[in-house]
Every structure is written in structure tokens, then in C-alpha cells.
Amino acid sequence: MIKNTIILVLLFYGFIFPQSEINTFEKSAFAISYINSSEKNGLEDYWEIQNGFGGYFQTQFYIGEISVGVSLFTFKGLKGKHNNFSSSYIYFSWIGVLKMPLNSSLGAGIKVGTYLMTFSGDTLSIFQKQESELAVSPYAIFSIQVFDPISLNLSGEFITVFTHRPMKFFNISAGVSYAFTTPNWLKRLFK
Amino acid sequence: MKYTIFIILFLINTEIISQDFSSKNEMSKTIITNSELKESGVINVSDILNLLYNWNISTINGYSFDASPNNLSLNQSVIISIDGQEIDLGNQDFLNLNLIPLTIDQIDTVEVISFPQLFNGKFTKGGLINFKTKKPTKGLSLNLFNSVGNEVGDPGPYFFTQETSPNVDKLGYLLSFNLNTRGENWYLRSFVKTEENYLTDSAIKDRINKMGSESKSEMLAASVILNFSALDGIHHFLFGYTQDDDFIFFKQIGQEVPAKKNLKHFGLNGKFELTQNIGLNYHIKYADNEFINTSSSPPFNFLISDKLIFTQIESEYKNKNITSTFGLSIENKNITQLGFSNRLDKITLYSSLNYFFTPNTNYVIDFSTTKQNDKILLNGALKNFWAITPDNNLTLAFSFSQNLFMDKFAIDSQLYSSFDYYANNNTDNKTNLLASSLSFNSTLSRKLNIQLLGEYRNFFNYTLEDFNYQFNPINENIETNYSIKGNEFLKILSSSVEIEHLISKTVTHKLYYSYQKDFDGSYLFQELWKSFPNHKFVYSINLNFNDSFGIWAKYYFQSQTDWHQYRYFNYQSNDESSSTVKAYSTMDLSIQKWLWQKHIWLNLVVKDILNNRQYFHPIGAGFDLRFYFQIHVYFHSILI
């Protein structure tokens, strides 16, 4: 409840202080992060989630910023009863950003994407080895520029995967991002 | 008696004057533009029905619909046409608009008529949808269109645990390609699409699997359009081909039958300008449709071939105040089923007069008569428009229409020979409808538009099908008792309000509410009419940040419906099935973005964000949160 409230407040500020039209797609960034994840809805009875990695590309939008990215996780079957599997969360996100002192910023947004799962096991058919499902995750991120163009990022997100019994994860991640002026060819593609 | 009523209405009507002809939404005619289709997340052509709020639609499988326009009929009898050429989709099943050889990126506008009137010589007794295709840009151009969809609820990793659940596959896959070229006085469009749909809901899957079929439907469709100017006229040729391997829902047996449809259409329509005021319109069409049972364990066998030749000629006179048409059409349909043939001949005479009585009043009078085999059918409509002030107008319309019951069911009747059914001999198999409509439209400061509508329907001497489906709890099969009953009648009153408000240059929102209720009628008709909701409420909002990015959202509510045909299901299935479809609400979201200087268009559509499991039909699939992604690629005017 508290984290949802914080995210809603930040989303509100993201709309109140949007990027001006002139800045749309001007600046972009690449980011990578290390993710600590924990499962919150019963999957932990069968699998143990391992720490993961993520990366995304972000650019300024008409309001806030948008990004596309992927987060990778592995799941280890408990007591050898269940096969291991890996997952890729491929998402598109929007974030509202609030500029803060000391070249820092606070943002909140929402990711929507597909949660791809690949199961290991020699006896599984091709159809059983792969599965995908819609996933949605509100998230918040704190960012501080250590030196131009590098920033440090710290973020938290709550992922819901809409399987029949929903899978829910809480992730904390830390990483770095590299900002740059969007090349003209890329701006033309976005517009 | 009915003719007397018709004539009296005509006389009364000529005393009433009434409107504004430049309005985008004429009397019961709605125009949906291509950009409106796109921004509202329409992917399949059949999704267009979700934008017609005054139509009652229901679906079993999610992509074929039973559609009743504006309380005009109990069963669907919608005319579908492309560029004015009627396309015979075969009406044995629910209306599957996806069978037309087009995708939404080909459509310039959709004209929807929801009140009986003449349209291109056809009397639109049960409504009409006309797809106007785009005119290509000069030179060579090509488009690509691809979409995929998915519904939530897969088991995920729980599949490998004791908490497993049935798998929910993707909803559909659509890929299309078209190549166009345009010269000075002509253009050519060529198009092909392939489409797949997966029926994964256990309600449908179980019925289909019993017939030894996979729960997947596949479609291939292609079309060629040639438009050219010659001999002082404009001519339009359309060839369309659709091959559909699907599951056709047969009301006669209450379940799906795996069947294949092959639809071929060759049509030429056009217009010669004889003088400045006089024109000659023509239309020639040949359609060859096949309908084949593909089930390995069929409840009955059929291979139906339906060949149709249609010719129409129409004179048109226009001056400053009057547009009048007079036309004749002849239709010959030859239906063969396993060697037995049945011939249906129709000759139709029609005339229309559109008269601008004063600069702000206008009458439209339509009349048509059809001789079909030995029977004569009469249809007429009177419309009066009155622009009270430049911003306020009033429209009053009446219509009388007749159908032959066995016309719509011509092909079905061939199949009926496989079943025992009871037809009431007291009926001449006609259906009669008297419809009237009063509409007030007001625009306030160009930012607020309000439309108030009141309508009346009187169905009389009506022939109805009475299905009584029984659920067999032992083998879980559906069994049917079926009969045809005549002399049925029903009277209905309905009203609606639609408010459209422009909040700012970038934000518009729209509110729609309607209420309909029968107040007199025969028992069967009144019971069957309960399958339509009494209340409907829709709210939509559209945010266009600029011409490159937009967000559209819609909230939809409809009240409970009761399906007389399934009235014993609760008891027979121990309440696992029900004849009642509960009131439901949905919230849909569509986000669109152009890329690469409008060469690429992306659209993400999320349906039923609230993730309430919804049922649209007593034996139909249940739907959860689902999402779709579509991409359109456009290359215009290359190789000029």
C-alpha cells in the first residue's frame, strides 16, 4: 500500500513537471543493473529465484521518459523435484521524472511487457519448454549523476505476471547509466 | 392493413418538415474514419462492431458476432459491402466480418446505416456496413500489417506442479500485405491476408474436440481492386477471395461444426455522366460460395454451392434542390446441396427522392418493391430533416419493411432437411417491421455536441425460430428442439443520449447511454428479446498529444441478458451453465505511436484491464485480460 502510494505520488509529479516538447527524444541513455529479486506469491515453495541482470534504453518523451528493456532471471528447482527455468522480462515502460538537487532525480513509472519462461528438461516437448505471459510492474527509481555522462541508479519494482495463479516479485536493483545526445537518425525514427 | 398504415404515415409525414445535411452523422448513419478505427484499437475487421454502441452484439468465440443493429431485428440480417458492392459472407453462422478480403489499414471510412432506407439500391432492413477502401497515392506503394494477441491465465511454471491449470494460447495472428499503384485516371490495389484464431476456452474446445477437430481456425483472403475512368464515367472492379477453415456455429444444433468456406466475388460497378444532371449507375456481380463440412464425425453432412448473379441499373437525376433515383435489380441465386438444387429469383424496383424544400429543410422518400418467387415484398422510408438553427436540428423518420423468412435462411433450409422441424402453416413466412425515429442534435459553442434519440419498433406478422436447447448431463452434449412459429409480434420503445465534448485541442471525451424495453408482444418474441440488454453505458476519452502519439480509453457497461433458448441449462447442468449472462463492464486501453516520419505505426491494445472474467453468451467462451500488439508499415509513392 505504501509503495503504491509513493509510486502514484511520483507519477503525479511526473505529469506535473513534464519534458517540454522541444526536448522530446533529445537525450537518451543506456543502463545496466544488477537485480535482487524475491517471490511473494507461493512460487518459493517450488523454486528459488536467483539474482538477475537487466538493461534498458531510455529516451525523453512528450511527457516523462520511455524505455525498452529486458530483465533476466533464473529459477532453481527446490529439492530436485522441479526442473530449473530461466525467464526474460521484455518490457516497454513510461516514467515521470522529478529533478532534485545535486544532479539527482526521482522517478516513478510503469512497465508493461511479456514474461518469457524457458524450462529445462529432456522429456519436455517444444511447447512445454516455452511459455509467455503478460507482466506489469510499477516501479520507482532514484538516480544521481556521478560525473557527466555517468549516473548511478537505485530502483525498486513490483512485478505481477498474469499467470492463472499470478506470480509476484519484488525487485531491488542497482546499476549505472550512460547518457548521450540522441543521434539524428534515431530521432527521425522516433518522430 | 399494413399498406394502409404505410400510406397514412407517408401522408402525415409530408406535413412535417425538418435539417442539416452537412452533419457527419446523418440520420442513423455513422461514419467511422480510418484514424478513428486505429486510435480505438481496432485490429480485426469484426472489432468495428464494438464501436457501434446502438448495435446489440454477442459472441461465442470472440471474433464472430451475432449483430442486431439498433433494435431492427432479432436475428442478424446485416448487409456487408465493399465500395458499394454487396459481399455475400454466408449467413449460416454468426456474422464473421473478418471474412471480407480487407484489413483495417485498407479502409478509408466505414459507413454504418442503422435505420431502414435505400442505399445503392438495397433496402437496409437489418442495417448495413459499407467499407470504403483507400485511394492509393501516386506511383507504387506498399503496406504491411501484422498483429498478435494473447490472453492472460496461462499456468506458467505451475504447469509442473499439482497447482496446474489449462493452457491459454495466443488469441490470434494476422499478417497482411498489399501492393498498390496509381496513375492519372486509374488505380490498382492488390491485397492478401492470412489469419489464425485459437479457441482455447474449454467451453468451446470440448464441443469441437468431440468432433475430432483441432481448435484452431485459419483464413486466407485476397482481393484486387481496379478503379478507372473511361467512357465519361468512373468504374470500379472488385475481385475478392476468402478461404476459411473454421467452426461454424449452427443454431439448428446449438453447437459448432468444423466447416470450410470458399467465397469468390467478381463485381463491377460504376457511373456514366450522361449530362450535367443525369447519370446512369450500374452494378454487375457474380459470387460463387462453397460451404463444406470438414468434421471427421459429423452430426450431418453437407456440401453446399451457392452461385449468384446480380445485375442492377439505376438512373439518377440531380439539380440544385432534388436528387432522384430510379432503378431495377435482378438477382438469381442457385443453391445446390448434395445434388439437389434450389433456385431463388428476385426482381426489385426502387426509387428515391431527396428534396431540399428550403435551404434548411429536406425530405427523403425511399421506396422499393421486390418480387421473390411468388411473393411481393414492399419497403419504404420517409425522412425529414429540419435545421432549426445552424446549431440545432431535428430529424424524424419512418420506415416499413418486409422480409421473407426463408430468404435469409435459403441455405439453411437445405440443411433443415436433415432435421425434423415443425413449421406453423398459419404463416406466409413474412416478417414485417414498422420503425420510427425522432432525433434532436445540438452543438454548443462547437465544443459540445448532444444527440437525443427516441425510437419505436413494431414487429408484426413475424416469423420466428424457436430453439429449445437441452443440456444432457450424462454425455454433456447439447440437444435441440426446433420449430418455426408465425404471427409473432413485439413493440419496443428505446431512447439514447450521446454527448461529445472537446475539452481541449488534445483531449475529447464521449458519453453514451441507451435504454430499450418491449412493452407489448407475443410470449416467444418477448422472451427472445430479453437476450438484448435494457441498459448500456459507454464512456470514452481520447488524448492526442500530437499527430504522432495518442492514448484512447473506453469504459463499457451493459445490463444482464436472459437467453430463452437456454432456459433449462441451470437445472440440467447443476448450475454449471446458465441461461443468464450477468451484467458486465469492461475497460479497454489503446496506445498508438507513429515512427519514422509516419512510415511505421505501432499500437498496443489492452482489453478488459479490470480482468473481470466476462461471458458474452451462455455457451460462449469466458474472457480475461487480453492484450494485442499491431504494427503497420507504409511506403507511399515509391517509383513515381
Side-chain angles (χ1 to χ4, degrees), chain B residues 74 405 462-466 483-486 488 524-525 528:
Chain B
L74 196 58
F405 173 76
Y462 215 83
T463 305
L464 285 177
E465 292 176 295
D466 184 14
S483 61
I484 297 172
K485 291 180 178 166
E488 300 286 330
L524 177 62
F525 217 143
L528 292 176

Side-chain angles (χ1 to χ4, degrees), chain A residues 105-155:
Chain A
S105 65
L106 194 58
I110 191 157
K111 297 177 183 175
V112 179
T114 184
Y115 201 82
L116 298 171
M117 292 158 272
T118 306
F119 300 94
S120 59
D122 297 335
T123 56
L124 301 181
S125 68
I126 294 171
F127 297 108
Q128 287 174 326
K129 277 188 173 176
Q130 294 216 318
E131 178 77 287
S132 67
E133 193 50 275
L134 176 73
V136 174
S137 52
Y139 73 109
I141 184 166
F142 174 75
S143 188
I144 185 162
Q145 191 182 67
V146 284
F147 58 89
D148 194 14
I150 302 294
S151 297
L152 288 177
N153 305 320
L154 188 67
S155 77

Side-chain angles (χ1 to χ4, degrees), chain B residues 111-129:
Chain B
E111 283 177 296
V112 181
I113 293 181
S114 307
F115 193 82
Q117 57 196 280
L118 269 179
F119 181 87
N120 288 343
K122 290 273 179 186
F123 202 79
T124 61
K125 304 166 191 178
L128 174 140
I129 302 175

Side-chain angles (χ1 to χ4, degrees), chain A residues 162-184:
Chain A
F162 287 88
T163 43
H164 184 71
R165 178 178 176 175
M167 301 193 298
K168 295 182 176 179
F169 306 99
F170 183 65
N171 296 346
I172 295 174
S173 63
V176 292
S177 60
Y178 171 82
F180 57 96
T181 302
T182 312
N184 284 335

Side-chain angles (χ1 to χ4, degrees), chain A residues 18-29 57-67 94-95 97 99 180-182 187 190-191, chain B residues 593:
Chain A
Q19 301 292 332
S20 63
E21 174 84 23
I22 201 160
N23 286 332
T24 305
F25 308 122
E26 268 313 308
K27 289 278 185 185
S28 298
F57 167 81
Q58 185 164 308
T59 187
Q60 292 168 313
F61 203 50
Y62 305 103
I63 292 175
E65 300 188 359
I66 52 166
S67 62
W94 176 87
I95 187 169
V97 180
K99 298 287 181 196
F180 57 96
T181 302
T182 312
K187 272 194 276 189
F190 290 148
K191 284 187 174 174
Chain B
K593 175 79 180 90

